[in-house]
Amino acid sequence: MDKLPFFFFLSILITLSPSCKTKNENIQIQIRDPLIYEILGERLIVPPSPSQTPSPCIAGGIDIKNKQEMINSLDKLKSAGFDVIRTDFFWEDLEPQEGKIDEDKLQEYKDFVIESTKRNIEIMAIVAYGNWWASESAKSCYETCLKNNAQSNVCKSACAKIIPDAQKYGKFAGFLAQNFPSVNMFEIWNEPNWVVFLQPNPSPEAYADIFLSAHSNIKKYDQKKKVILGGLLMSETTNIPNSLLYIWHEFLGKLREKGVLSLADAVAFHPYIGQKSIPYPPLLPPEDSENSAGSLIYYISSLKRALKSFTSEEKPIYITEIGWPANYSEETGKTYVSGSQMFISEETQANFIIRAFAISAMLGIEIFCIYTLKDMPYDSQPFHDAEKFFGILKADSTPKKSYEAVKFTIPKIKGKYIGDIKTEIINENKNEEKIDSNNNNNNNKSSDDMNLVFSPAFEGEDKNLRALFWVVGPAGTEKKEKVKVKVYIPENSNIFSIYGEKITNYEKGKGYIILEISSSPIIAEIK
């Protein structure tokens, strides 16, 4: 990650397959295939085109205790085109005393599943987490907490992340599989390589034990149910000991030795994009590979390589959390809560989410979960203020710009990623009229010439062809200023912002248009 990254693309162009031709049979869209050949000096493992785009998913943010609020949240998810919701099924809620199920809580979860199923939203259930009575260490934690005059419910929650007895955890996982037959995805724990979620330390051996027990008990009820490796927190930071944050690839290596990887139906990970030195909160672009602890493209490619070295079987990869905290609007200049500046704007959050979804589609990710649906209440006290503002809705459920962008853009591109539109950057300050943005022979170009244009094309579920366009700097950094780009799509195509606003001020040629683009994506409906 210390070496200055450079983006290489194939210059070979192919024409779009017959199934993706426009109505005018004389016009063919020029497509590059595959899109990304090399990045960061390393070969990527890319899926063949066309490939399915990820299922859009929301990670958390729904209060199932308030049924009407839960229904309203699900309606917002359905309206925005989400296919999946990832949520905790808390063991301490459902079985507060060993062997005694809280029937009222069980009904709340069942109502949630019923209402989600009505809207064709699939549930990914996190088997979460331990329980205050589920191991001797947890019991000791609970008793010590009570002696410090804390309330019982506070102590139970405080001790729930301690690693439980594997057989008891597996039994609870089996209980969920049996009582929720329509739930077909079970994620085993969350971020087990981080001490915040797996205590007293993130031990891959201890995690392997609970995974294997959960896998056995879930599959006992239905072999078709997917058992997913708990989402790993991605970090390349080496100055943090494994007792606090276990480096993800080392954690995976230990799980392979225990036979976990061969049994997992999918591998989940959390690629938050933050600074190298202190990677929290995530404030950097998904493509950034100069300032970040790891770009989204780097994390996906690294995980693919690791899995390929660990197992001969192709494993589906899910992003079960990705997000950015947004706490102000560029339009109004207002923040919701004064204080820390550790946030990005609503507009930037929207840009990052749409770009991250498109990149994930380009690289074969199967599920893409945005963290999270709704901001925390203003008076909440998380460990960091940024935690309050990851939602695509504000705390009062009003939409942020990211919700509007997701609602308009993702349903239009959901379908198949088919390759990339040919583009050429027009350089108005040099003798050359244009620079092929796909040409990897740019050794004599200035840094200004080495902007990277993303132009992924998608065949939507309605069979219509659409493409996204945005540009970043040579190391994936933001480009606020406009770059003029020649785009080889029919001149009668319609251009929109990611919020659905029609764009008309662009030049038209014969078989191409000229767009001014920045890091704010625009979408083309190709005629």
Side-chain angles (χ1 to χ4, degrees):
M1 291 298 293
D2 293 330
K3 187 169 65 174
L4 180 65
F6 184 74
F7 297 88
F8 295 93
F9 280 73
L10 283 183
S11 59
I12 300 173
L13 302 177
I14 65 169
T15 55
L16 191 61
S17 63
S19 64
C20 297
K21 285 183 181 178
T22 63
K23 293 178 182 178
N24 185 338
E25 291 297 322
N26 295 320
I27 298 175
Q28 291 185 337
I29 311 303
Q30 291 185 296
I31 301 289
R32 282 176 293 154
D33 183 31
L35 169 72
I36 298 176
Y37 179 48
E38 288 185 6
I39 192 169
L40 303 175
E42 301 173 81
R43 181 177 291 274
L44 284 173
I45 303 170
V46 297
S49 296
S51 59
Q52 288 297 128
T53 57
S55 296
C57 160
I58 202 76
I62 289 186
D63 181 8
I64 70 169
K65 298 174 184 177
N66 184 324
K67 187 169 183 179
Q68 188 55 54
E69 185 176 336
M70 177 258 289
I71 288 173
N72 291 342
S73 295
L74 290 173
D75 285 341
K76 286 185 179 293
L77 290 181
K78 180 64 177 177
S79 177
F82 284 93
D83 293 330
V84 180
I85 179 167
R86 172 186 183 256
T87 195
D88 298 295
F89 279 58
F90 287 111
W91 190 4
E92 63 175 298
D93 283 351
L94 287 163
E95 194 177 0
Q97 300 286 335
E98 186 168 11
K100 295 181 180 180
I101 299 299
D102 186 323
E103 296 295 336
D104 291 336
K105 291 290 185 183
L106 181 60
Q107 190 58 52
E108 285 180 0
Y109 282 98
K110 286 185 175 180
D111 289 343
F112 169 64
V113 172
I114 290 168
E115 294 296 335
S116 299
T117 303
K118 283 181 185 177
R119 293 160 178 78
N120 293 316
I121 300 175
E122 193 170 2
I123 291 174
M124 183 187 301
I126 306 172
V127 185
Y129 288 93
N131 214 325
W132 71 272
W133 49 260
S135 70
E136 291 305 315
S137 296
K139 289 178 182 177
S140 176
C141 169
Y142 177 67
E143 291 168 0
T144 301
C145 181
L146 289 178
K147 289 177 182 178
N148 291 326
N149 299 317
Q151 294 181 350
S152 176
N153 62 326
V154 172
C155 292
K156 289 176 180 178
S157 294
C159 300
K161 304 294 171 44
I162 291 177
I163 196 75
D165 176 87
Q167 297 306 311
K168 292 179 179 180
Y169 182 83
K171 183 179 178 182
F172 173 65
F175 168 84
L176 294 180
Q178 184 179 28
N179 282 270
F180 299 96
S182 63
V183 175
N184 293 311
M185 292 188 289
F186 293 89
E187 187 175 355
I188 308 305
W189 215 268
N190 170 68
E191 297 183 355
N193 62 323
W194 191 24
V195 71
V196 170
F197 287 99
L198 191 66
Q199 299 168 6
N201 57 72
S203 161
E205 292 81 10
Y207 176 74
D209 289 341
I210 65 168
F211 180 93
L212 295 172
S213 180
H215 182 277
S216 174
N217 280 274
I218 291 170
K219 294 289 187 177
K220 180 171 65 177
Y221 289 103
D222 188 346
Q223 285 289 329
K224 294 180 180 179
K225 291 186 184 296
K226 295 180 180 179
V227 182
I228 303 160
L229 193 72
L232 298 176
L233 183 60
M234 301 295 276
S235 176
E236 298 295 326
T237 306
T238 57
N239 59 350
I240 300 176
N242 278 349
S243 59
L244 298 177
L245 179 61
Y246 215 109
I247 299 298
W248 65 269
H249 48 82
E250 296 177 5
F251 199 87
L252 277 178
K254 295 290 186 180
L255 296 184
R256 176 185 62 89
E257 294 173 6
K258 292 289 186 176
V260 168
L261 282 185
S262 62
L263 291 177
D265 293 304
V267 173
F269 75 117
H270 299 169
Y272 289 106
I273 314 301
Q275 293 281 351
K276 286 181 179 178
S277 55
I278 305 175
Y280 190 89
L283 304 172
L284 296 177
E287 308 88 353
D288 191 302
S289 55
E290 182 174 53
N291 308 299
S292 68
S295 71
L296 178 59
I297 300 170
Y298 172 80
Y299 281 139
I300 294 174
S301 59
S302 296
L303 180 56
K304 282 176 172 279
R305 281 192 295 272
L307 290 176
K308 188 174 182 180
S309 69
F310 289 152
T311 176
S312 58
E313 183 183 358
E314 189 76 17
K315 290 289 180 183
I317 298 176
Y318 301 162
I319 292 177
T320 50
E321 283 185 28
I322 187 171
W324 292 265
N327 184 35
Y328 68 96
S329 168
E330 291 178 359
E331 294 177 354
T332 65
K334 293 181 179 179
T335 61
Y336 315 138
V337 177
S338 61
S340 173
Q341 298 301 307
M342 302 297 283
F343 315 102
I344 60 176
S345 70
E346 286 188 32
E347 293 80 0
T348 302
Q349 182 194 46
N351 293 339
F352 286 1
I353 287 173
I354 296 301
R355 284 153 50 184
F357 181 86
I359 290 168
S360 298
M362 292 150 64
L363 295 178
I365 298 301
E366 295 194 12
I367 292 179
F368 179 89
C369 295
I370 300 166
Y371 179 79
T372 182
L373 177 62
K374 190 187 299 186
D375 286 350
M376 293 180 181
Y378 298 154
D379 59 355
S380 59
Q381 295 181 329
F383 76 94
H384 193 290
D385 278 350
E387 280 293 301
K388 297 179 183 179
F389 301 108
F390 277 83
I392 59 174
L393 302 175
K394 298 176 187 177
D396 62 2
S397 296
T398 57
K400 291 185 185 177
K401 300 289 284 188
S402 52
Y403 177 83
E404 300 295 348
V406 166
K407 184 177 180 179
F408 177 77
T409 301
I410 289 184
K412 289 187 176 298
I413 64 177
K414 187 167 65 174
K416 293 179 181 178
Y417 163 63
I418 59 173
D420 296 82
I421 303 298
K422 179 186 177 184
T423 62
E424 292 171 348
I425 296 175
I426 297 175
N427 190 332
E428 297 177 318
N429 299 318
K430 293 184 179 293
N431 293 329
E432 305 100 317
E433 178 187 351
K434 54 187 177 291
I435 300 167
D436 188 341
S437 61
N438 311 325
N439 187 354
N440 61 10
N441 187 21
N442 278 326
N443 294 329
N444 297 322
K445 307 299 181 186
S446 71
S447 60
D448 289 339
D449 294 334
M450 295 173 61
N451 296 317
L452 177 64
V453 176
F454 282 78
S455 57
F458 304 90
E459 182 185 69
E461 293 177 333
D462 58 6
K463 303 301 180 184
N464 289 323
L465 186 63
R466 302 180 179 92
L468 287 174
F469 300 97
W470 74 93
V471 62
V472 295
T477 50
E478 288 291 273
K479 290 288 293 185
K480 296 295 185 183
E481 63 273 21
K482 299 284 187 178
V483 175
K484 190 171 281 191
V485 177
K486 189 174 185 179
V487 177
Y488 286 88
I489 59 176
E491 60 271 23
N492 62 339
S493 300
N494 292 320
I495 312 298
F496 299 90
S497 75
I498 55 175
Y499 311 109
E501 303 154 335
K502 192 165 185 179
I503 298 170
T504 58
N505 58 337
Y506 56 88
E507 300 176 47
K508 297 181 180 181
K510 188 174 181 180
Y512 67 87
I513 61 175
I514 295 177
L515 297 173
E516 290 187 343
I517 60 177
S518 67
S519 293
S520 298
I522 57 178
I523 182 170
E525 291 189 340
I526 300 172
K527 298 293 185 179

